[in-house]
Amino acid sequence: MAKITLNPLKSAGVINKNIYGHFSEHLGRCIYQGLFVGRDSAIPNVNGMRKDAVEALKRIHAPVLRWPGGCFADEYHWEDGVGPQEARKRMVNTNWGGVVEDNSFGTHEFLELCRQVGCEPYINANVGSGTVREMAEWVEYVNSDGDSSVVKKRWANGRKEAWGVKYWGVGNENWGCGGNMRPEYYADEFRRYQTYCRQYGKNKLVKIACGPNGSDYNWMEVMMERAGRYMDAISLHYYTVCGTWDHKSRATQFTKEEYYETLKKAAFMDELIARQDAIMTRYDPEHRVGLIVDEWGTWHEVEPGTNPGFLYQQNTMRDAMVAALTLNIFNGHCDRVVMANLAQTVNVLQSVILTEGDKVVLTPTYHVFDLYKEHMNARQIDCHVAAEETGTEKDHICQVTASASQKDGKTCVTAANLSCEKEAEVEICGLDAVEAAGRILTGKMDAYNDFESSPLAAADMRGVKVEGGKVVFTLPPCGVAAVTVK
Ligand code: AHR
């Protein structure tokens, strides 16, 4: 029996809806084909944006979208992507497959996409190969209403009102593809760049510093010490890689051992955030600076026969369990984690959507986001799980993961059974429950949706009972549920 004990009197705060955010880079078929097909495409679109992808993102209430990268961000020059299409510069996307980028999707298109989805834009600017002036003018172009030459250019390009974009990333992975900088050097660069990111109107910018590569605790230490007071948030990147970077697990054909290794590595996110948070807290005990996990998710071998630079991978129940576990971890750390962005929305890494021509597939990971959406902007409540361990001798983890929140007089508990073999009898106590109902996503560990059939989706859950104020139910192997309790 797995026991989930809730304490509504104890809370880490409100779960920022942006924890359920996404990331879209000019990489493979994420932007082009996945989200943007152009106005002249036979694929149904509105102003060039695929209708099916936009509708799918709206259904999960996608709150924020990060763009244009990723590594691409530090080679991207925004002025190449504004103005008449035929005059836009063509460049080689050296990071991702060496394909020619025609810049047909630029600032106006990205902000139109966000408008259609109804989400906040998060723009990541170029520090690695850009200039302070370039970033300062991008902020001005997007946010100012004054009649400066930069703003007049925006008017000439068809947009009168400023967009008022809040979230600005100052470089990406500057410890790696963003310039191979040392933290001491980047800390100074961050201080300099952010100085010229001006406020226009009432729109308060959220200036996001490039944070560490996973467990590089020194990077966090140096950044907080030297630049903490100049930032509103700092990023953290952590990918779940089963195997090694040179020999990664296949996305759909994997063993039970690889399944548990993946889950064990995903579970590390909890310790990682706790340790990075502890460093941040020494410099920022008031929690003024947010932690933004703006790249996370599984990274498998690319699908056989696809361009290795396009990072296209299928998505199974294993990926769904990683999402369920990780989102529960983020909810539990909502006093520090203010945003997270799954990499990457469509056709790249752990996507929520896959496309092929005019066809679209919603992945099991998509359905986890659908199940968890009740947590957005809800008050997190303390949630303790006591359950047996599952896994192999090498990789074992707690069989059940859960998180809970309250909103509008209801409690939402999301719980997942991480075993791919055994059921879990679950009991939720601490609420004095009167009624409860649930929805569940489940399937074999390597089950997936494809363009021929999509058997995996959330469905109403049978057998959720209230007994003496407690809620009891059974989770099948690889089962993830959202239970609403009144
Ligand atoms: O998401 C793919 C890549 O992973 C991003 O471009 C980069 O920031 C990270 O290394």
Side-chain angles (χ1 to χ4, degrees):
M1 166 73 77
K3 193 169 174 178
I4 301 174
T5 307
L6 306 181
N7 179 2
L9 299 177
K10 196 169 164 203
S11 169
V14 170
I15 298 172
N16 194 315
K17 68 178 194 303
N18 289 338
I19 283 178
Y20 292 84
H22 297 271
F23 167 41
S24 56
E25 181 169 9
H26 288 237
L27 194 177
R29 296 185 301 115
C30 181
I31 295 289
Y32 299 109
Q33 298 180 38
L35 290 162
F36 179 73
V37 287
R39 289 169 197 259
D40 299 334
S41 172
I43 296 173
N45 70 84
V46 175
N47 297 331
M49 314 300 154
R50 287 187 77 116
K51 269 186 170 176
D52 48 12
V54 167
E55 286 308 316
L57 292 173
K58 278 167 78 169
R59 282 198 300 274
I60 53 173
H61 305 168
V64 60
L65 194 58
R66 174 176 181 244
W67 170 86
C71 295
F72 182 77
D74 283 272
E75 280 205 307
Y76 182 64
H77 301 282
W78 69 271
E79 288 190 86
D80 298 345
V82 295
Q85 287 284 346
E86 57 290 355
R88 294 194 188 179
K89 190 172 162 186
R90 292 167 69 81
M91 65 180 279
V92 179
N93 189 337
T94 53
N95 284 289
W96 306 117
V99 293
V100 170
E101 160 68 55
D102 67 3
N103 275 302
S104 53
F105 188 93
T107 303
H108 290 249
E109 289 75 21
F110 172 61
L111 294 166
E112 167 62 8
L113 171 64
C114 292
R115 185 194 67 77
Q116 289 187 24
V117 173
C119 68
E120 289 271 0
Y122 165 10
I123 295 181
N124 207 121
N126 179 348
V127 168
S129 70
T131 63
V132 173
R133 175 175 175 177
E134 195 181 350
M135 179 170 185
E137 290 189 347
W138 201 0
V139 177
E140 184 185 348
Y141 184 89
V142 168
N143 283 354
S144 171
D145 267 325
D147 68 344
S148 67
S149 302
V150 171
V151 172
K152 280 182 171 162
K153 202 174 341 164
R154 185 187 78 220
W155 297 347
N157 291 334
R159 173 78 188 194
K160 182 73 184 138
E161 310 80 38
W163 283 282
V165 172
K166 270 204 317 228
Y167 300 107
W168 290 88
V170 183
N172 168 75
E173 297 196 350
N174 301 93
W175 36 262
C177 63
N180 286 305
M181 300 175 192
R182 293 167 301 111
E184 293 79 6
Y185 179 80
Y186 173 73
D188 280 348
E189 285 293 83
F190 173 78
R191 290 167 60 131
R192 190 164 74 104
Y193 270 73
Q194 69 78 34
T195 305
Y196 303 96
C197 296
R198 305 296 189 190
Q199 298 290 149
Y200 293 98
K202 287 193 221 104
N203 176 43
K204 159 108 180 61
L205 298 191
V206 176
K207 298 172 183 174
I208 304 162
C210 164
N213 177 14
S215 56
D216 182 350
Y217 301 111
N218 179 55
W219 183 281
M220 182 63 91
E221 185 81 43
V222 174
M223 283 302 297
M224 288 306 294
E225 186 192 355
R226 299 186 179 210
R229 64 182 180 283
Y230 299 99
M231 64 178 77
D232 300 296
I234 185 162
S235 67
L236 171 67
H237 288 184
Y238 177 68
Y239 283 100
T240 299
V241 180
C242 174
T244 63
W245 281 102
D246 291 337
H247 293 102
K248 295 185 282 295
S249 173
R250 297 273 302 270
T252 54
Q253 288 161 309
F254 53 86
T255 62
K256 200 174 75 181
E257 286 69 27
E258 287 175 285
Y259 172 87
Y260 286 116
E261 181 186 329
T262 306
L263 270 293
K264 173 86 182 176
K265 285 182 166 167
F268 175 66
M269 183 70 90
D270 195 26
E271 177 187 330
L272 179 62
I273 293 174
R275 291 187 64 180
Q276 297 290 12
D277 178 24
I279 298 168
M280 293 176 76
T281 300
R282 273 197 278 112
Y283 296 94
D284 173 38
E286 298 83 25
H287 286 211
R288 187 191 62 78
V289 179
L291 184 63
I292 295 187
V293 190
D294 59 16
E295 289 189 29
W296 70 274
T298 52
W299 192 317
H300 306 307
E301 273 314 331
V302 298
E303 290 305 318
T306 64
N307 186 331
F310 282 12
L311 309 186
Y312 177 72
Q313 64 190 43
Q314 244 298 356
N315 192 293
T316 65
M317 280 304 297
R318 172 175 63 161
D319 300 282
M321 303 317 286
V322 168
L325 169 62
T326 309
L327 293 170
N328 282 339
I329 292 170
F330 291 156
N331 288 344
H333 288 282
C334 68
D335 53 341
R336 183 63 85 178
V337 179
V338 296
M339 188 196 292
N341 310 75
L342 178 66
Q344 301 192 3
T345 323
V346 193
N347 294 332
V348 172
L349 299 175
Q350 189 175 351
S351 313
V352 288
I353 301 168
L354 302 175
T355 67
E356 208 175 77
D358 63 354
K359 292 190 233 140
V360 74
V361 163
L362 303 179
T363 66
T365 299
Y366 176 92
H367 295 291
V368 173
F369 274 74
D370 191 28
L371 285 172
Y372 277 54
K373 63 180 189 282
E374 289 308 317
H375 286 308
M376 290 190 207
N377 285 347
R379 176 180 173 269
Q380 184 267 3
I381 61 168
D382 191 57
C383 172
H384 178 263
V385 180
E388 61 186 44
E389 292 268 296
T390 188
T392 58
E393 208 173 302
K394 177 174 149 285
D395 295 304
H396 44 92
I397 41 173
C398 182
Q399 189 183 344
V400 171
T401 158
S403 66
S405 67
Q406 293 185 320
K407 192 167 57 179
D408 304 329
K410 285 181 278 183
T411 303
C412 171
V413 183
T414 47
N417 175 9
L418 301 180
S419 169
C420 59
E421 301 145 294
K422 283 194 272 174
E423 290 187 336
E425 302 297 330
V426 181
E427 173 184 285
I428 301 174
C429 48
L431 281 180
D432 212 6
V434 175
E435 63 180 88
R439 287 175 61 70
I440 186 163
L441 170 73
T442 185
K444 290 209 174 102
M445 67 175 185
D446 53 357
Y448 57 89
N449 292 335
D450 65 17
F451 297 98
E452 274 67 58
S453 86
S454 278
L456 302 167
D460 287 341
M461 199 172 163
R462 283 198 227 113
V464 182
K465 293 190 209 124
V466 176
E467 289 172 0
K470 294 176 182 172
V471 182
V472 291
F473 53 91
T474 304
L475 283 177
C478 294
V480 45
V483 178
T484 306
V485 188
K486 286 193 204 155

